[in-house]
């Protein structure tokens, strides 16, 4: 048994619902099926077409979108469909048979983007690479991350951070970015284009009976936090993280001390070790939290991940 979970996501089209998985379903490719004959390469899509209201099935990297006919309302059937997809995946059902025999290359573009940290470059792909932010301090941390493992073979690579569709690489001072950026960009692009796994424990559409999923960091349990901590997490997620991510970094809530009114956060990626980010982010976050949570937060302690 695998441990897939499915979340229901509305779209801007009322006839289409997304069923989002917590793991990858395909390798960088997307598929669209309009009937059961077209879905001959996808046992999951074929099974969904047995539901009389299913009009179109769209399978992407980590979600399945279904367009329905008007004979039913999504509110009446979406929970049942989500359960059916989740059960299918957890029983090891095949999502789609990809054309591995021809090893067809996947159109991939990767561009390099500078960050506020002069030691970090952000490499952005046109494909989703990971489903959650992950940081690798050394090659031992990357035992379940084939891309990070290979990047650590470059002697100038110091640390790696991945989130969504980008890889942030921190280098040693022995090389300048003008000397190595093109080499790293092409390596990452070729790695993805060949259909390789970026992180092996974010399993693809079939369960591996012999493998155990290892989580580097457990998910934050919001229910176990006090009200102020939950408010801090919500503010970080809505106002701070998007800006930090655009610079190739990440910020994590660590703790809140009600007595000292202090919030502790962890900086990752380009933010970690940046000469200016600790003070800049600390001041920015501190000001925002003071204003939005008056009397509850006075200080922010920012530490590198």
């Amino acid at each position: 048994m695998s441990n897939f979970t499915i979340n229901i996501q509305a779209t801007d089209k009322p006839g289409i619902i997304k069923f989002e998985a917590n793991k990858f379903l395909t390798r960088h490719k997307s598929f669209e099926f309009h009937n059961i004959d077209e879905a001959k390469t996808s046992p999951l899509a074929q099974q969904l077409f047995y539901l009389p209201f299913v009009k179109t099935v769209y399978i992407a990297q980590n979600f399945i979108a279904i367009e329905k006919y008007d004979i039913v309302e999504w509110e009446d059937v979406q929970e049942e469909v989500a359960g059916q997809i989740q059960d299918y995946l957890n029983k090891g059902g095949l999502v789609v048979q990809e054309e591995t025999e021809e090893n067809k290359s996947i159109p991939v573009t990767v561009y390099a983007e500078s960050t506020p940290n002069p030691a970090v470059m952000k490499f952005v792909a046109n494909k989703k690479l990971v489903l959650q932010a992950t940081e690798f301090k050394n090659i031992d941390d990357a035992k379940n991350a084939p891309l990070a493992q290979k990047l650590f073979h470059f002697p100038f690579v110091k640390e790696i951070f991945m989130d969504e569709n980008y890889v942030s690489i921190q280098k040693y001072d022995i090389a300048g970015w003008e000397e190595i950026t093109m080499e790293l960009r092409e390596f990452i692009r070729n790695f993805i284009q060949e259909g390789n796994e970026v992180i092996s424990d974010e399993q693809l559409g079939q369960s591996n009976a012999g493998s155990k999923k290892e989580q580097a960091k457990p998910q934050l349990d919001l229910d176990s936090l006090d009200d102020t901590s939950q408010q801090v997490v919500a503010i970080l997620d809505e106002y701070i993280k998007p800006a930090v991510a655009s610079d190739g970094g990440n910020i994590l809530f660590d703790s809140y001390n009600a007595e000292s009114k202090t919030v502790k956060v962890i900086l990752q990626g380009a933010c970690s070790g940046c000469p200016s980010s600790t003070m800049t982010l600390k001041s920015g976050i501190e000001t925002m939290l003071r204003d939005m949570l008056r009397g509850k937060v006075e200080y922010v302690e920012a530490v590198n991940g």
Side-chain angles (χ1 to χ4, degrees), residues 53-71:
F53 54 83
V54 171
K55 181 179 181 181
T56 305
V57 177
Y58 182 84
I59 299 176
Q61 287 180 268
N62 72 312
F63 69 85
I64 297 160
I66 298 177
E67 181 181 9
K68 69 172 181 66
Y69 289 105
D70 292 336
I71 59 173

Side-chain angles (χ1 to χ4, degrees), residues 167-180:
V167 181
S168 289
I169 296 177
Q170 183 173 355
K171 69 174 181 64
Y172 288 104
D173 292 336
I174 59 170
W177 284 120
E178 68 279 1
E179 302 169 310
I180 61 176

Side-chain angles (χ1 to χ4, degrees), residues 40-60:
K40 61 183 179 181
T41 59
S42 174
L44 174 56
Q46 284 189 319
Q47 179 172 309
L48 290 170
F49 275 116
Y50 280 102
L51 300 172
F53 54 83
V54 171
K55 181 179 181 181
T56 305
V57 177
Y58 182 84
I59 299 176

